[in-house]
Amino acid sequence: MTGTQRLPRLPRLGLAAFGALVVLGITAGPAAAHAEVTASDPRALAENVTLSFTSEAESDSAGIAELRVVLPKGITPDAVTLKGAPEGWKLTATPDGYSIGGTALATGTDAEYSITVRQLPDEKALAFKTLETYGDGKVSRWIEVPTNGEKVDNPAPVLELKAAAPGAKPIAPSPSPSPTPPPSAVPSEQPLAAAPSAPAAAASTAATNAKAAGSSTGAVLGVVAAVLVLAAAGTFWWLRRGRSQA
């Protein structure tokens, strides 16, 4: 055969299918990781509810080491206790929620744990904004709350609540214990009076001595004056008597 050899043409349908596969291969990637939450009793005002969380691993180089959660309005950090977690992980309360973590999990392992909440608030939905920290320092932020049904790139775990059970009421919050001051800060029962300084003590002693000396001198002068008066009276009486006899 002479001339330019032509390649066989692909059927148009096959070519279109091939192109679609190529496009899908370019645009498709691994499913976006996310965090989720479920409840043992997803009703408003439900008590002693177990919340189970799952944070999907999205790093190919390190495992999840810590999760930082911001609690929704109506749930305080002291109303949360740890129920289950990866071995060695501990829960620590924070001003606006809690953190839970420990030794980093194996790469690609999802972080799963559960907590017990004393009572859910009277709301329709609860968002638990979550920060995932990996062993290599990478942080994934699942903190966006979708509104009006719109989609967001990094959605926070959201728990939809049903209506409260008939007769359900909010329970009173547990009283906060009064802080006990350290021993060094506790005042003594009866403070000791401060001792006077040396100059003040000396001045006080001198004043006391002077007062005592003044009192003694006054007494002596009084006695002398009385003796003189008596002597003068005696002398006057003696002279008058002598004149009478003369």
Side-chain angles (χ1 to χ4, degrees), residues 63-83:
I64 299 174
E66 183 185 47
L67 300 172
R68 170 79 164 82
V69 177
V70 177
L71 290 171
K73 181 181 178 181
I75 301 179
T76 57
D78 62 350
V80 173
T81 56
L82 181 62
K83 184 174 182 180

Side-chain angles (χ1 to χ4, degrees), residues 52-55 64 67 84-86 89 100 105 109-114:
S52 300
F53 293 84
T54 300
S55 292
I64 299 174
L67 300 172
W89 278 32
I100 180 171
L105 303 178
T109 302
D110 297 342
E112 298 180 353
Y113 71 94
S114 59

